[in-house]
Amino acid sequence: MAASTGDQDASEKSTRTVDYDGKTYSIVKEGLAEILNLKAAPRGANNADNSLTGPGAAKAKKPKHYGGGVEDAPDQSVFYNPIQQFNRDLSVLAIKTFAEDLVLIRKKRHERRLKNPVVRDAAPGATAFKGKKRKAAEEHGNGRPNPGIAGESDGGAAVPGATDVTGTADASTAASTEESGQAPEKNASQIPNGNAIEHTHSNGASAADAPASNVQAINDLVSLGHSYRPEAVQPNSTPQAQPIRVLDALSATGLRAIRYAKEIPLLTNIVANDLSPSATTSIALNFRHNDLPASKVRAITSDAILHMHTITGKNNGSEKYHVIDLDPYGTAAPFLDAAIQALVDGGLLCVTCTDAGIFASLGFLEKTFSQYGGLPMKGSQSHEAGLRLILHAIATSAAKYGIAIEPLLSLSIDFYARVFVRAKKSPAEVKFLAGKTMMVYSCGEGCGSWTTQYVGQTKPNNDKKGNTVYRYSQALAPSATQLCEHCDYKTHLVGPMWGGPLHNPFFVQKMIDGLEDLDEEVYGTMKRMEGMLMVARDETLLPEPESVESNGVAKEQDGSITDGVSTGENQSKQNEEEAALQSSNDERAAPPPQSQPIASIHPSLHDPTPFFLIPSTLARTLHCVSPSDAALRGALTHLGYQTTRSHTKPGSIRTDAPFDVIWEVMREWVRQRADVKEGVHTKGTAGAGVMRRDRSRLRENLFREDIEKALQIRGRSSDGKEELEGWKEGIEAALYRVSKRTGNDESAIDGKDAAVPKGTKQRLTALQKSKLEVIFDEKLGREKAGLEVGKKLVRYQMNPRKNWGPMTKARDSG
């Protein structure tokens, strides 16, 4: 084997070469991994400017195009896109964080067993044995359940890997009987460094002599406040001896698998799968080039869906994966169902979708619905809506099997979406899905506002014993009229889509903490990771880890859980729901110390602030100069509302302020700061509709509200008059009131209190909106922008190079 090196930038071309089996390969390095690209034979004579000469020059094809332009990247025998290095760097960090958390979970469980190897006390919220299961457990003796109750299987010896990279051997079969909950046949198990570990009880008895138990699989982590069970494990094995299995389902070059193997020491078994035999051969060669042991990595040739279904049913599911990474060329939708089933309980699903033209565009909405089960959104929010459609597809696929998902990190990056989802076997949590699934009424053609409509309601109540129980019911419909209430344009239906939080801020914070251990020379996108993770951490307006109440329950900023329709709720009801949520024994959202597993967000919570605003877009509707981000943030903050950023768009503002308040603030911006020419708001435009509700036209606005209320009588007048009579009575009353109104001081005439509570989420009347004190305090806005003093962060990546994009597929080298 001969190798030559050069000093050209490896991100574009690599002049380093290596010979294997008489073939010359160029070397592409990323992270700690190196992949080989077979140098293509020239189609004639290839000169310095990449033009073809010789007899075929006249018929030569044009240079390859990708990402909208011509690139001078070399022809590839394997698919490698350097633009997605950020995706791979981020995946390494996320999986490493998840693996460390899994080890902590196992360690806590192991310590609990050592302290009390016979009796497992159920913590609050634990699932106790009931009925036949409890009886069988008692009959088995020592309070232990009968082996086989909770899906136990007869696994083999604990060997964390296979020895055949050709795919003929079965590494999963040789893996630990971790999910079986049954003692291994032998005492020793192999760990990554090759040392053997003897598994014994705290009293010195051998694991082979101990009766099997799956109590921990039923009372899993309840003492830590977690509702998910990563998997049943060998009762007496140490946390480090238990395997963590990873599937790179669509591996191509094996780059991800190689990086995971070399950069995440906790992983013990990594399977790289591809449908193409030539790709699998390339993967095996890359494993060889990177000196990876056959006991840790394995390349197989298989249909990814078939392989995952096979693993699901093999040995009663004992060979399922802890992490599955789906990174297809296009959509991941066809693989979701199989991937969900092939994960262990509490496993991590990593999904990439590069078909942004489908999930974030109206160009092929019929295909969007067929792949993701919902319709896309028009406007600046289309990419966040695309993320929510992908999460909706995953959630609905999982719910059929009693599996609930929790998004740990969901990002719209460049031309693709990347989500990291924890899947938990929990039929009880699946019940919350309807309350976290929403439709959206979008005014995409007009002012750009939207109204959310959750398809179900989830309300907490206390039973006779004071325990929190949840009631599930249909949501009130509709939450919006056919015409936009702000500009009178028609609204369109979007969704259904995921309405829960996009991220778990505790998991994201753990990833940020993990950046300190990374080498910037190895992780070339480290600065971008830091900036985007910080935006993601603060994006969802849920309590910060340090501000959560002592009982650990995360609650929404508006104090409510969800009632299907966000408007029209009185404060007392919100307080009741908040009190009910606070009384829950679920402690999953408590800020965990470094020695504790990462907490989960309460499954009943939906995202109180889906989507975001862009000041320039609002200003475009009103044909005025755009307010600065700081000015708009300052005005909303002064009114008692929260503001933050969205990771999907630069210059975005995510806020819990309703659109009633947002458009009133913009109207005040036009009145106070923007010099708009008379007549610029042409009749019939969205801007004219918004400005028609200006506080200077208070009498007209109050009259419009009275007429709308009169038309909602619908035959329900007190003396039993018909519908037409009811409308007549209401309209006459409205005409009488408007005739008595003079000037803009209307509170005494209407007998209403025009005071507006700060930060209210309720729908405001025209009179209340006219009383809002709007102050564009840029200093306050900058303070609330979350800028780190003296530290520059790369929150939004600029185009890394000219004509970048998803690239074309690699040619088959045959």
Side-chain angles (χ1 to χ4, degrees):
M1 181 182 70
S4 61
T5 60
D7 56 1
Q8 190 169 350
D9 185 2
S11 65
E12 291 292 338
K13 294 181 180 180
S14 175
T15 57
R16 292 179 58 208
T17 60
V18 65
D19 293 334
Y20 281 105
D21 302 327
K23 296 181 181 179
T24 302
Y25 299 85
S26 59
I27 300 175
V28 179
K29 182 175 177 60
E30 181 182 294
L32 297 180
E34 292 183 349
I35 60 172
L36 306 178
N37 183 24
L38 180 63
K39 300 194 74 173
R43 304 170 186 167
N46 194 0
N47 60 22
D49 61 358
N50 289 331
S51 61
L52 292 177
T53 61
K59 298 181 180 179
K61 294 182 179 180
K62 295 181 179 180
K64 285 197 171 187
H65 290 66
Y66 60 89
V70 181
E71 283 287 348
D72 59 351
D75 197 11
Q76 297 189 90
S77 62
V78 295
F79 181 78
Y80 171 71
N81 189 353
I83 301 303
Q84 286 208 38
Q85 181 179 352
F86 177 72
N87 183 333
R88 292 181 285 268
D89 286 353
L90 192 71
S91 299
V92 169
L93 181 59
I95 295 175
K96 181 180 179 183
T97 303
F98 172 81
E100 291 172 350
D101 183 57
L102 184 56
V103 170
L104 279 177
I105 292 170
R106 290 168 168 175
K107 181 179 179 181
K108 291 294 180 182
R109 187 165 49 201
H110 183 70
E111 291 174 352
R112 192 165 67 249
R113 294 195 203 101
L114 293 179
K115 289 180 180 179
N116 198 343
V118 176
V119 180
R120 272 83 171 180
D121 293 331
T127 303
F129 286 106
K130 296 181 180 180
K132 294 181 180 179
K133 291 184 178 181
R134 185 179 184 89
K135 183 178 179 180
E138 293 173 351
E139 291 176 353
H140 186 64
N142 295 329
R144 298 177 182 272
N146 191 354
I149 289 178
E152 296 183 358
S153 62
D154 296 328
V159 181
T163 58
D164 188 356
V165 297
T166 63
T168 57
D170 194 341
S172 300
T173 302
S176 168
T177 56
E178 176 184 14
E179 280 75 19
S180 68
Q182 194 167 340
E185 297 178 2
K186 298 183 180 181
N187 298 345
S189 128
Q190 186 177 354
I191 59 175
N193 61 10
N195 296 327
I197 292 180
E198 184 77 15
H199 301 309
T200 59
H201 284 293
S202 58
N203 59 7
S206 171
D209 301 328
S213 171
N214 68 344
V215 173
Q216 69 278 6
I218 297 177
N219 292 334
D220 189 8
L221 292 182
V222 291
S223 66
L224 300 178
H226 287 257
S227 67
Y228 64 92
R229 311 190 311 262
E231 71 284 325
V233 298
Q234 301 173 40
N236 306 290
S237 59
T238 58
Q240 293 80 7
Q242 300 165 15
I244 300 178
R245 296 183 292 275
V246 179
L247 172 64
D248 183 7
L250 306 160
S251 196
T253 63
L255 175 58
R256 287 176 182 271
I258 296 169
R259 292 198 60 182
Y260 297 161
K262 301 189 75 171
E263 299 172 27
I264 311 176
L266 291 173
L267 305 184
T268 59
N269 306 102
I270 302 170
V271 176
N273 173 76
D274 202 279
L275 183 62
S276 169
S278 61
T280 309
T281 302
S282 175
I283 294 170
L285 182 59
N286 285 327
F287 287 169
R288 171 186 169 191
H289 175 74
N290 285 272
D291 298 324
L292 292 175
S295 60
K296 188 169 187 177
V297 296
R298 187 166 63 104
I300 62 173
T301 303
S302 176
D303 179 274
I305 298 175
L306 177 62
H307 173 73
M308 289 185 286
H309 278 306
T310 302
I311 288 296
T312 300
K314 196 171 185 179
N315 292 335
N316 202 19
S318 63
E319 300 177 15
K320 292 183 179 182
Y321 294 101
H322 300 84
V323 180
I324 294 180
D325 194 337
L326 299 176
D327 184 32
Y329 192 91
T331 179
F335 306 96
L336 297 178
D337 197 86
I340 283 291
Q341 296 181 73
L343 277 174
V344 301
D345 194 358
L348 179 68
L349 179 61
C350 315
V351 179
T352 299
C353 292
T354 62
D355 58 332
I358 303 298
F359 64 73
S361 167
L362 295 180
F364 305 94
L365 57 85
E366 71 283 356
K367 191 170 184 179
T368 310
F369 187 84
S370 65
Q371 289 185 347
Y372 300 105
L375 295 176
M377 190 173 185
K378 183 177 182 179
S380 305
Q381 302 81 15
S382 61
H383 286 270
E384 180 181 332
L387 278 175
R388 295 184 179 277
L389 287 172
I390 295 170
L391 291 173
H392 170 71
I394 299 173
T396 52
S397 292
K400 294 179 292 186
Y401 307 104
I403 297 173
I405 72 162
E406 180 191 2
L408 301 178
L409 181 64
S410 309
L411 298 176
S412 173
I413 307 167
D414 300 333
F415 54 86
Y416 59 92
R418 181 67 166 170
V419 299
F420 300 89
V421 173
R422 181 160 53 194
K424 301 172 274 189
K425 183 68 175 179
S426 176
E429 291 192 17
V430 171
K431 295 179 181 180
F432 292 103
L433 181 58
K436 293 190 293 187
T437 301
M438 66 180 182
M439 306 295 296
V440 181
Y441 297 93
S442 173
C443 184
E445 301 290 340
C447 64
S449 60
W450 63 84
T451 304
T452 58
Q453 168 73 66
Y454 288 87
V455 300
Q457 295 188 74
T458 305
K459 295 182 178 179
N461 292 288
N462 291 333
D463 60 14
K464 294 180 180 179
K465 296 181 180 180
N467 300 320
T468 300
V469 294
Y470 290 88
R471 307 296 182 188
Y472 310 97
S473 61
Q474 293 177 303
L476 299 177
S479 60
T481 59
Q482 185 178 5
L483 298 180
C484 175
E485 61 179 302
H486 307 290
C487 69
D488 299 327
Y489 267 59
K490 291 182 179 179
T491 58
H492 294 84
L493 201 59
V494 177
M497 62 179 63
W498 175 261
L502 293 177
H503 322 288
N504 180 326
F506 312 128
F507 183 86
V508 178
Q509 181 59 53
K510 196 72 175 287
M511 290 181 66
I512 295 173
D513 296 340
L515 288 170
E516 299 176 358
D517 302 327
L518 302 184
D519 185 354
E520 192 170 348
E521 293 184 0
V522 176
Y523 298 88
T525 63
M526 188 170 165
K527 290 183 178 179
R528 186 185 182 190
M529 279 199 293
E530 181 184 20
M532 183 167 277
L533 288 174
M534 285 187 173
V535 174
R537 179 195 60 190
D538 302 330
E539 182 172 11
T540 302
L541 292 177
L542 293 174
E544 293 294 334
E546 63 272 11
S547 65
V548 182
E549 298 294 334
S550 59
N551 67 359
V553 177
K555 59 183 190 302
E556 292 183 10
Q557 293 294 330
D558 61 0
S560 64
I561 294 183
T562 175
D563 69 336
V565 182
S566 58
T567 58
E569 288 296 311
N570 55 62
Q571 189 63 37
S572 62
K573 189 161 189 174
Q574 291 181 357
N575 292 338
E576 291 175 3
E577 293 178 346
E578 183 182 61
L581 182 59
Q582 287 285 1
S583 65
S584 172
N585 352 352
D586 189 341
E587 298 181 354
R588 282 170 300 160
Q594 292 298 321
S595 60
Q596 295 294 327
I598 298 171
S600 299
I601 298 297
H602 195 286
S604 68
L605 294 179
H606 64 74
D607 193 339
T609 59
F611 311 122
F612 54 87
L613 313 168
I614 296 182
S616 60
T617 303
L618 299 175
R620 189 185 307 121
T621 301
L622 300 182
H623 301 282
C624 67
V625 176
S626 174
S628 65
D629 290 359
L632 188 54
R633 288 177 188 273
L636 294 173
T637 303
H638 183 266
L639 291 173
Y641 297 100
Q642 299 179 90
T643 62
T644 183
R645 292 183 177 87
S646 170
H647 77 275
T648 58
K649 290 285 184 181
S652 58
I653 297 177
R654 187 183 292 268
T655 178
D656 57 349
F659 266 104
D660 280 344
V661 173
I662 292 167
W663 282 120
E664 183 61 27
V665 169
M666 288 303 299
R667 284 189 287 264
E668 279 299 285
W669 170 260
V670 172
R671 187 179 69 85
Q672 296 180 24
R673 302 286 187 90
D675 186 14
V676 178
K677 295 181 180 179
E678 186 176 354
V680 71
H681 298 126
T682 308
K683 183 179 180 180
T685 62
V690 173
M691 292 305 298
R692 189 165 60 245
R693 292 161 172 80
D694 185 73
R695 62 178 62 184
S696 62
R697 301 179 179 182
L698 182 57
R699 293 182 64 212
E700 176 185 337
N701 295 334
L702 290 172
F703 178 66
R704 183 185 296 108
E705 285 184 352
D706 289 339
I707 294 297
E708 290 175 354
K709 290 178 182 178
L711 295 177
Q712 292 174 3
I713 293 177
R714 300 284 180 179
R716 291 180 292 151
S717 53
S718 57
D719 56 358
K721 293 182 180 180
E722 296 296 331
E723 187 173 67
L724 185 61
E725 291 297 322
W727 287 347
K728 179 181 177 181
E729 182 182 282
I731 292 174
E732 288 176 349
L735 291 171
Y736 174 78
R737 283 193 294 270
V738 76
S739 67
K740 295 294 184 180
R741 290 173 178 147
T742 58
N744 284 339
D745 187 11
E746 308 293 340
S747 58
I749 297 177
D750 286 352
K752 298 178 181 178
D753 184 5
V756 183
K758 278 202 168 188
T760 181
K761 311 301 184 299
Q762 300 178 11
R763 183 176 179 179
L764 301 182
T765 65
L767 184 60
Q768 288 176 318
K769 286 186 283 188
S770 69
K771 301 300 181 182
L772 289 176
E773 184 182 9
V774 181
I775 300 175
F776 295 97
D777 189 340
E778 295 194 19
K779 181 180 179 181
L780 179 61
R782 282 191 291 270
E783 292 175 355
K784 292 297 181 180
L787 295 176
E788 303 254 349
V789 178
K791 186 174 184 179
K792 293 184 178 180
L793 297 175
V794 183
R795 293 184 174 89
Y796 305 98
Q797 176 70 42
M798 301 299 292
N799 291 353
R801 65 185 186 187
K802 184 180 179 182
N803 300 323
W804 65 280
M807 298 181 62
T808 54
K809 292 184 179 180
R811 64 178 178 84
D812 190 351
S813 59

